Amino acid sequence: MARKALITGVTGQDGSYLAELLLDKGYDVVGVVRRTSADRYERIEHIRDRLKLVDADLLDPSSLVAALEVSEAEEVYNLAAQSFVPTSFRQPVLTAEFTAVGVARLLEAVRQVLPEARFYQASSSEMFGKVVESPQTEQTRFHPRSPYGVAKVYGHWITVNYREAYDLHASSGILFNHESPRRGLEFVTRKITDGVARIHHGLADKLALGNLDARRDWGFAGDYVEAMWLMLQQDTPDDYVIATGETHSVREFCEVAFSHVGLDYREHVVTDPRFLRPAEVDLLIGDPTKARTQLAWTPKVDFATLVRMMTDADVERLATQSTTVSSRGG
């Protein structure tokens, strides 16, 4: 009989890759979607007929109970959140409701309905914030620098608390930045590759960015969802840093992306103070030793390959748009 999994945030970048992975492993997958005025299923359109989608909301406990009852899930992956850091400064209370208290609502629903289920919480490297040591490990002290990071710290610790208080099989993956062609356009990596594609096709000439010297540990989302699954296959629940162990600057990301289409980023990238954060996180780099030794997990896609993959996808996506614009001009 097929194993059953429930994924919140199934329409997001990570949710779509995780759903693919689980379906390929023969799971029955139930995806939780929020009822909104505009359905946004483009990331899961190619697998939508293989998924069961249920309406539920992290702000509404009774809907979470109902979704769990319908799913009969053996594995629950909580990937839903307000996940864009700049938005968390503009909407700190909403971010707390979704990204912090939402985790408690879901854990409580799991405890009531499916206490034997294994639970995964999407923690974040943004919890480290103003880092006290590099690289960061599972033992590194948290010092979040955004309402998003603060909310993620609550989500992380409430998961630990439910594990210890109620003996739930609940694990957290402290994931460092992970990107893909499915990344939202508001994130700096996708903003860069989309900008490169626009400039390449003659749809734009400049790309405005914030802090080019911010450094991140960037990996491929498709690799990172495998780590999530591996955590829930362990006999004992635990917390793991998932990272590449390498750090690169936004400037390096630009350099690789622009040069991939034969351009020099210095001729097109301009710095705009509007894109600087009120409190910046300058350097994040994870130590994935524990995941490598205990989960036998290693990332397969390196930094340059990831950047080129994302750039190619955006160049291809915008090719039709540039054709349409040039034909109108003709």
Side-chain angles (χ1 to χ4, degrees):
M1 210 163 107
R3 297 174 74 183
K4 297 180 172 70
L6 178 133
I7 304 172
T8 71
V10 73
T11 60
Q13 169 188 257
D14 292 7
S16 65
Y17 280 110
L18 179 61
E20 278 179 355
L21 177 78
L22 296 179
L23 288 169
D24 287 346
K25 291 181 180 296
Y27 279 66
D28 289 338
V29 179
V30 173
V32 171
V33 292
R34 290 177 64 215
R35 177 54 55 212
T36 57
S37 55
D39 293 334
R40 300 189 62 190
Y41 297 135
E42 60 265 22
R43 292 187 184 96
I44 58 168
E45 204 59 63
H46 63 296
I47 53 171
R48 195 170 166 187
D49 60 340
R50 299 166 65 197
L51 296 170
K52 180 172 185 176
L53 299 180
V54 296
D55 291 340
D57 196 312
L58 287 179
L59 304 185
D60 179 11
S62 63
S63 72
L64 297 174
V65 167
L68 288 166
E69 287 173 342
V70 166
S71 74
E72 300 177 332
E74 294 149 273
E75 296 175 10
V76 177
Y77 296 86
N78 182 36
L79 309 186
Q82 190 300 101
S83 59
F84 189 46
V85 172
T87 298
S88 77
F89 283 102
R90 297 192 297 273
Q91 297 183 310
V93 177
L94 184 67
T95 299
E97 285 289 351
F98 275 116
T99 309
V101 186
V103 185
R105 292 189 190 99
L106 184 55
L107 279 164
E108 183 59 19
V110 169
R111 185 178 77 85
Q112 290 175 23
V113 180
L114 298 171
E116 300 303 312
R118 298 186 172 194
F119 181 87
Y120 172 82
Q121 166 59 14
S123 289
S124 167
S125 60
E126 288 285 334
M127 300 189 306
F128 296 121
K130 189 175 183 180
V131 297
V132 294
E133 62 179 2
S134 284
Q136 293 87 52
T137 73
E138 293 80 6
Q139 270 67 54
T140 302
R141 185 167 57 83
F142 301 139
H143 186 148
R145 297 270 280 170
S146 66
Y148 170 75
V150 173
K152 278 292 184 183
V153 170
Y154 176 92
H156 181 84
W157 282 116
I158 199 69
T159 302
V160 172
N161 181 250
Y162 268 69
R163 179 168 74 215
E164 295 176 352
Y166 302 115
D167 202 28
L168 290 187
H169 192 297
S171 297
S172 286
I174 306 172
L175 270 58
F176 280 65
N177 293 63
H178 46 289
E179 317 297 318
S180 76
R182 299 179 196 172
R183 192 54 144 154
L185 281 164
E186 67 273 22
F187 290 87
V188 67
T189 50
R190 187 69 196 292
K191 187 177 176 183
I192 292 167
T193 59
D194 177 71
V196 167
R198 288 181 184 283
I199 293 165
H200 173 71
H201 285 305
L203 300 169
D205 185 52
K206 298 294 180 189
L207 173 63
L209 297 171
N211 181 9
L212 296 182
D213 297 315
R215 301 184 71 84
R216 291 291 183 273
D217 184 328
W218 275 303
F220 172 51
D223 289 341
Y224 284 40
V225 298
E226 185 188 13
M228 300 175 187
W229 176 77
L230 286 167
M231 285 177 219
L232 298 200
Q233 311 317 305
Q234 307 306 303
D235 292 335
T236 307
D238 207 344
D239 306 322
Y240 297 88
V241 163
I242 305 299
T244 68
E246 293 180 12
T247 182
H248 299 274
S249 67
V250 174
R251 192 183 305 278
E252 284 177 77
F253 200 107
C254 289
E255 201 168 357
V256 175
F258 275 92
S259 64
H260 185 52
V261 296
L263 297 172
D264 184 340
Y265 82 95
R266 289 168 296 189
E267 295 175 9
H268 300 281
V269 173
V270 294
T271 305
D272 188 331
R274 286 180 306 155
F275 298 122
L276 299 175
R277 294 183 186 181
E280 180 59 272
V281 176
D282 295 311
L283 171 65
L284 290 173
I285 178 170
D287 179 354
T289 301
K290 182 177 174 182
R292 191 167 58 242
T293 54
Q294 293 188 22
L295 303 177
W297 176 85
T298 50
K300 299 178 183 73
V301 178
D302 65 24
F303 174 74
T305 304
L306 172 67
V307 178
R308 291 194 291 265
M309 174 203 302
M310 293 177 66
T311 304
D312 284 341
D314 276 327
V315 167
E316 186 179 334
R317 179 179 61 88
L318 289 175
T320 52
Q321 191 173 329
S322 62
T323 305
T324 307
V325 169
S326 60
S327 64
R328 279 188 198 139

